[in-house]
Structures are given as structure tokens and as C-alpha cells.
Amino acid sequence: MRQALVFGASGQIGFPLLGRLHGDGWRVIAVSRTPQSDQPGLHWLRGDLGHVDGLPGRVDAIFSCGPLDSFAQWYGASSIEAARVVAFGSTSVEVKRGSADAAERDVAQRLREGEDRVFATAGSRDAAATVLRPTLVYGVGRDATLTRIAHLARRWGRFPLPRGATGLRQPVHVDDLAAAAFACHGVAAAHGRAYALPGGETLSYRDMVARVLACLQPPPTLVELPSPMFSLALLLAEMTGRATGLGEAAVRRMRSDLVFDMAPAQRDFGYSPRLFHPRADMFEPRDDEA
């Protein structure tokens, strides 16, 4: 029986991945920060990439659904034998590389260094690694973008956007990401490669937000403001303790196209993500257990 080690197994991507592995007959060792109950073929370990006891000496595959930089450090220092490694990164490695925000540039740098370290470590061990780069993730109320928009819109009854927020986006559902990780692990063409994983539909930032608001009950109002007024609204939100977490660089990206090519993933392992049809339950906030 094949055996997999999954980090971030109770998280938004890891949990649906467990179902696919289990359904295919894998024995899974899953790592989570919170206690979980074992099931036939599924053994949980409590810990994270910083420390976890009880890891096996060898598995057939390692899947990382948590922070790439932390996984790269763990993998480089570990002694576990695994012929196959699949790790999630982010398209932020490209998007935030030239950001005006130093913190965002640091995120991109850490992602790049994490990718390089994963590939280098795998190469030194005669293992095959693949890095998957999702775009805007949604689906189970744990993402930091669309769920946050839904939460604020519910609270306020409206959601403001600057006029001209027409930059293109490709939101991707967590189940499609889990399917991609499962599909690519057995494909030789994916060895040593990084793939962008966008969603199946390209739409403007404004239209993406409008669809999120439309699925909520009652639907909050989308309010488009001139840029100076929107900036003032952000300032007032910060002053009143209702800060949106949007920096200048993030607002500027609302007008920029962030579009990625899914063709390599389609060609190599049949990646076929769904269109963006959000439902209210996809944005119900939940505790992050990854």
C-alpha cells in the first residue's frame, strides 16, 4: 500500500486532498496543529512544520499544503525518504516581486527561495518535486481575500471599491487545487516543474466582488467611489479600528491584470478548474486548523 505524508492536512486544500488519497487506497499520515481522530487508513500526528513527533522514515510521497518557506526549511533538514514531493506555493512569487510594498516584496522573495530550496533538496536526494502556484483561493471560508470581503460586506451592508477596479482575476476553488495535487503526483512530466493554477474563469476584480456580494443574503450593495474618496474611506476605517488590511499596493493591483496560463497544467496532468459560481456557504468564516 502506498503511503503519503500530508502537511496542512486539516486546512482548506489539505482536507479535500486527504479524501482523494484515501479514496485511491493510500495510507495517509496527516499532520495538523489541532487534535484529530484517526480513521482506517488515516493516522493523524499533532504538530506543524516546526515540530512534529512520530514521523516515519520513508513514504512514497510528501504533500505540503502549508507555507512553502516553512516546508522548504523542514524538507531541507529532514531525513525522511520520499521519491515524490508536491508543495503548494503561490502566484504571489510573480505578482508581488516588483511591489512598492517592502513586505510584499519579502513575501515574493521567500516564496522564490522556498521553491529553489525544495527543488535543490529533491535533486540532491534523487526525488522528484513539483510546486503548485494557486491564484486567489476560495471555497471553505478560510481564504484571506474573498472571505474577508464577504465578512466585511455582511457587517457593513455594502462594500466599497475604487472606480476602475477592472484588473482581471482568476479565483480558484480549493477542491480543484486538491485535484491538481493528486493528479500531478504520478505524472513524470511534472517532475522538477512549477505550475500556475488559476481558476477556470477570468473576470474583472469588480465583477468578482459583485458575484460574491450577490450570493449573500441579503445581498450587500457594491459602492464604487472615486479614488480620492476611496482612499479617505480606507483612512477612516483605520482610524476607527475597522481597517480593511488593504495597502496602497493592493489597491493599485485592483486595476492590474493578474492572469496566469493554465495550459501547462492542463497538458501535463489534465487540470480543469471550474468556473466562478460562488455560494454564501463558501465564505462562512471557520477556524484555520492547517
Side-chain angles (χ1 to χ4, degrees):
M1 180 181 290
R2 292 169 297 176
Q3 183 169 253
L5 172 63
V6 182
F7 286 99
S10 61
Q12 59 179 341
I13 301 172
F15 193 73
L17 175 59
L18 293 185
R20 291 181 177 273
L21 291 167
H22 187 265
D24 195 46
W26 287 68
R27 182 177 184 276
V28 181
I29 298 171
V31 180
S32 173
R33 290 194 298 264
T34 56
Q36 306 288 334
S37 299
D38 287 356
Q39 302 173 20
L42 174 61
H43 176 57
W44 287 92
L45 297 176
R46 187 174 181 182
D48 56 27
L49 289 163
H51 178 77
V52 57
D53 293 322
L55 291 174
R58 184 188 181 281
V59 293
D60 295 287
I62 299 173
F63 295 88
S64 172
C65 305
L68 180 63
D69 53 345
S70 297
F71 173 72
Q73 292 178 15
W74 173 87
Y75 183 42
S78 74
S79 59
I80 296 179
E81 296 180 20
R84 195 70 177 94
V85 174
V86 178
F88 278 92
S90 171
T91 51
S92 292
V93 69
E94 300 292 346
V95 170
K96 296 181 178 179
R97 181 175 56 180
S99 173
D101 188 315
E104 291 189 345
R105 292 195 304 274
D106 180 65
V107 168
Q109 180 66 21
R110 288 188 284 111
L111 285 167
R112 176 65 66 188
E113 291 173 353
E115 289 189 4
D116 291 345
R117 187 168 185 178
V118 167
F119 286 128
T121 302
S124 70
R125 301 178 182 180
D126 292 325
T130 301
V131 172
L132 303 176
R133 301 170 175 172
T135 52
L136 274 173
V137 180
Y138 74 99
V140 291
R142 294 185 180 183
D143 63 277
T145 302
L146 296 183
T147 292
R148 181 167 175 78
I149 287 171
H151 175 69
L152 292 173
R154 283 190 180 107
R155 183 196 302 174
W156 298 338
R158 60 186 61 82
F159 192 82
L161 278 182
R163 286 179 185 165
T166 57
L168 298 179
R169 295 295 186 272
Q170 299 163 304
V172 60
H173 195 279
V174 293
D175 286 347
D176 294 328
L177 297 176
F182 178 77
C184 80
H185 86 270
V187 176
H191 294 180
R193 296 199 58 182
Y195 293 90
L197 296 184
E201 184 174 2
T202 301
L203 67 168
S204 72
Y205 194 97
R206 182 204 178 280
D207 289 346
M208 178 181 70
V209 172
R211 288 194 197 178
V212 171
L213 302 190
C215 78
L216 305 178
Q217 293 299 324
T221 302
L222 177 61
V223 180
E224 295 183 86
L225 302 173
S227 291
M229 190 176 297
F230 183 79
S231 298
L232 178 60
L234 286 183
L235 179 61
L236 290 174
E238 293 174 357
M239 292 175 62
T240 58
R242 297 182 296 174
T244 63
L246 288 177
E248 180 181 347
V251 173
R252 189 158 51 242
R253 278 198 299 275
M254 293 180 187
R255 299 187 174 96
S256 301
D257 294 343
L258 305 182
V259 178
F260 299 87
D261 184 11
M262 75 174 72
Q266 287 178 319
R267 178 195 65 223
D268 290 349
F269 50 89
Y271 180 59
S272 182
R274 70 198 66 191
L275 302 179
F276 184 57
H277 294 306
R279 304 188 311 269
D281 62 298
M282 295 177 178
F283 308 110
E284 293 296 334
R286 308 176 192 181
D287 293 333
D288 189 349
E289 301 172 344

